[in-house]
Structures are given as structure tokens and as C-alpha cells.
């Protein structure tokens, strides 16, 4: 990386946008997916949302609900960073999606929302890994209806469950390829609230 890229990366990190924003372009969420992820962040009371909001308010000196290039420059100077026009242009290019010269809160949160979504996906995969280890009693990489039933019997809410119900669930709902077993992908596709 050039020294210009390294400095820009540091400035983006100061803004709290993390390494996701530090590349050549932010491949972040957009549209409905972005708004759904922001709602999930807000509802989960994720601290990244709160911290990002505080950082945004710090840079939004005129309380206009958007941050101009000049506000970024002033905020970075307050934090002790020396900026150049080129660095600020790069930051604005990365964040100002609609290119109106101002960064709205949603634009500011795009990289943070992407990271939040990636962390959720990683957690979901870890949950599926743990479930696979729990249910796959014979370690053959797939789960039979019997293994699922045995694995569910320890749950209080599943005490009244009958093996026939689990067999029908696997056959009629969860086993999408019809081979009689749940693969990792099929297990991952089951809503955890159902189990």
C-alpha cells in the first residue's frame, strides 16, 4: 500500500468505520438490506450503532444531520490529525454514496452495518456448527430424524415431542433434497425457533 492509502486507512479507522471501509471501495449494504440491518442493529442495542451515532454527532458540528467535507476536516483536526485535500476527497468518495457532498447518518453507518451483518453470519455459522456437533451422533456429516429426535429430547419444550412428529418434520419440511437426512445446509436453513 502507498503511504497515501495507509494514512487514509488510519483516518477511516479514526472515524470508526473499520477496515471494511479502508479498502479501495466500500462494498457495503444498500437499499432495503441496509435499512433492515440498521433496524436489527438498533433493536439489538448493538454498541457499534451507539458508538457510530456518537461519532457522527461529533463530526456533525452544525447538527444538520449530515456531515460535510469541512466538518470531517474540522473534526479530524480536533482529534489531532492533519489532513490533506486528497485524503478528505477519498473519505468523501468512500462514504458519500449519493455524491451530494454531504454524508448522511445512513451513509456513515454503511460500513458498520456491513460488519454487523458479517458478524451475524459468522455467529449463525458457529451456531449451526454447534448444532451439527450436537445432533450428528454418528459423525457422518448428516442428521437422521432419529438423531434429531434424540438431540431434542433434552430440551424442556420438546419433552412432549414424539419421534413420528420429528420424522414428519424432517421429511416434509427440513429435508429439501429428499435423501432422508439433514445436511449442514439444510440444518442451517431451519428457523431455530422451530427447534
Amino acid at each position: 500500500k502507498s503511504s497515501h492509502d495507509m494514512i487514509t486507512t488510519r483516518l477511516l479507522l479514526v472515524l470508526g468505520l473499520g477496515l471494511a471501509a479502508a479498502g479501495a471501495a466500500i462494498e457495503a449494504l444498500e437499499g432495503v438490506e441496509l435499512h433492515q440491518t440498521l433496524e436489527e442493529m438498533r433493536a439489538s442495542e448493538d454498541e457499534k450503532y451507539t458508538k457510530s451515532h456518537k461519532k457522527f454527532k461529533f463530526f456533525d458540528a452544525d447538527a444538520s444531520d449530515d456531515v460535510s467535507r469541512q466538518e470531517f476536516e474540522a473534526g479530524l483536526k480536533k482529534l489531532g490529525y492533519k489532513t490533506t485535500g486528497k485524503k478528505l476527497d477519498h473519505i468523501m468518495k468512500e462514504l458519500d454514496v449519493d455524491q451530494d457532498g454531504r454524508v448522511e447518518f445512513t451513509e456513515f453507518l454503511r460500513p458498520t452495518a456491513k460488519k454487523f451483518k458479517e458478524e451475524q453470519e459468522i455467529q449463525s455459522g458457529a451456531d449451526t456448527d454447534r448444532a451439527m456437533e450436537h445432533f450428528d451422533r454418528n459423525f457422518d456429516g448428516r442428521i437422521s430424524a432419529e438423531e434429531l429426535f434424540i438431540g431434542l429430547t433434552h430440551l424442556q419444550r420438546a419433552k412432549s415431542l414424539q419421534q413420528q412428529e420429528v420424522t414428519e418434520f424432517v421429511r416434509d419440511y427440513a429435508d429439501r433434497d429428499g435423501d432422508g437426512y439433514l445436511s449442514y445446509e439444510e440444518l442451517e436453513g431451519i428457523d431455530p425457533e422451530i427447534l
Side-chain angles (χ1 to χ4, degrees), residues 25 71 86 94 98 112 115 119 137 144 154 177 186:
E71 287 174 312
K86 193 172 184 178
E94 294 297 318
D98 61 11
T112 304
K115 185 175 182 189
E119 288 170 355
R137 301 286 184 182
S144 68
H154 78 282
D177 65 8
E186 290 168 332

Side-chain angles (χ1 to χ4, degrees), residues 142-155:
R142 58 190 191 167
I143 301 168
S144 68
E146 182 179 347
E147 287 173 313
L148 184 61
F149 176 74
I150 292 168
L152 289 172
T153 56
H154 78 282
L155 298 174

Side-chain angles (χ1 to χ4, degrees), residues 13 45 75 158 170:
L13 289 170
E45 299 178 11
V170 169

Side-chain angles (χ1 to χ4, degrees), residues 80-190:
Y81 287 87
K82 294 182 180 174
T83 60
T84 65
K86 193 172 184 178
K87 292 175 205 167
L88 288 167
D89 289 343
H90 183 74
I91 290 169
M92 290 300 292
K93 181 181 175 221
E94 294 297 318
L95 297 177
D96 186 16
V97 177
D98 61 11
Q99 299 179 354
D100 65 355
R102 306 190 71 74
V103 176
E104 291 83 24
F105 184 56
T106 302
E107 291 173 316
F108 189 81
L109 270 180
R110 285 176 72 231
T112 304
K114 180 177 191 232
K115 185 175 182 189
F116 175 83
K117 187 147 184 92
E118 288 170 349
E119 288 170 355
Q120 280 185 318
E121 289 169 359
I122 290 168
Q123 181 59 46
S124 174
D127 292 345
T128 304
D129 289 346
R130 283 191 295 276
M132 192 71 176
E133 288 172 12
H134 175 76
F135 292 116
D136 184 15
R137 301 286 184 182
N138 64 2
F139 306 105
D140 64 354
R142 58 190 191 167
I143 301 168
S144 68
E146 182 179 347
E147 287 173 313
L148 184 61
F149 176 74
I150 292 168
L152 289 172
T153 56
H154 78 282
L155 298 174
Q156 188 62 39
R157 68 177 189 225
K159 291 286 185 204
S160 64
L161 209 56
Q162 301 296 313
Q163 184 158 355
Q164 183 60 34
E165 292 173 297
V166 174
T167 300
E168 289 171 5
F169 169 77
V170 169
R171 182 188 65 226
D172 299 338
Y173 176 75
D175 179 20
R176 292 179 294 203
D177 65 8
D179 68 354
Y181 295 91
L182 297 181
S183 66
Y184 181 92
E185 291 77 17
E186 290 168 332
L187 181 63
E188 190 173 43
I190 298 173

Side-chain angles (χ1 to χ4, degrees), residues 8-24:
T8 302
T9 298
R10 285 185 45 218
L11 290 175
L12 288 168
L13 289 170
V14 166
L15 292 174
L17 302 177
L19 293 175

Side-chain angles (χ1 to χ4, degrees), residues 67-84:
V67 179
S68 68
R69 183 180 187 279
Q70 292 75 24
E71 287 174 312
F72 273 126
E73 182 174 23
L76 289 169
K77 282 182 181 176
K78 280 184 190 176
L79 294 171
Y81 287 87
K82 294 182 180 174
T83 60
T84 65

